[in-house]
Amino acid sequence: MSVIYLLLSLSILVAIIFFIAFIVSVKKGQYDDSYTPSVRMLFDDELVKEETKTNN
């Protein structure tokens, strides 16, 4: 039974560490890029066309 308490406390500790790491990364601006993903699909075709023009 003591093993269950040990594993439960360790899993809660690991979850708290990951939560703190997530909060720190949000505060440092890790997830602030909201523009690039929305327009990335628009510019993929132009990159392919430029590569085919340079290859010919």
Side-chain angles (χ1 to χ4, degrees):
M1 190 71 172
S2 64
V3 173
I4 293 174
Y5 293 132
L6 177 68
L7 290 175
L8 186 62
S9 62
L10 284 176
S11 65
I12 290 173
L13 180 66
V14 168
I16 289 171
I17 290 171
F18 278 111
F19 183 69
I20 290 171
F22 173 72
I23 296 296
V24 168
S25 67
V26 167
K27 291 206 183 246
K28 287 189 176 186
Q30 183 74 27
Y31 305 108
D32 283 348
D33 189 16
S34 61
Y35 178 71
T36 304
S38 64
V39 296
R40 184 178 299 147
M41 66 177 188
L42 300 175
F43 297 116
D44 284 343
D45 290 338
E46 292 178 7
L47 294 174
V48 171
K49 288 178 186 176
E50 290 176 8
E51 287 178 5
T52 56
K53 287 180 183 177
T54 58
N55 291 337
N56 289 335

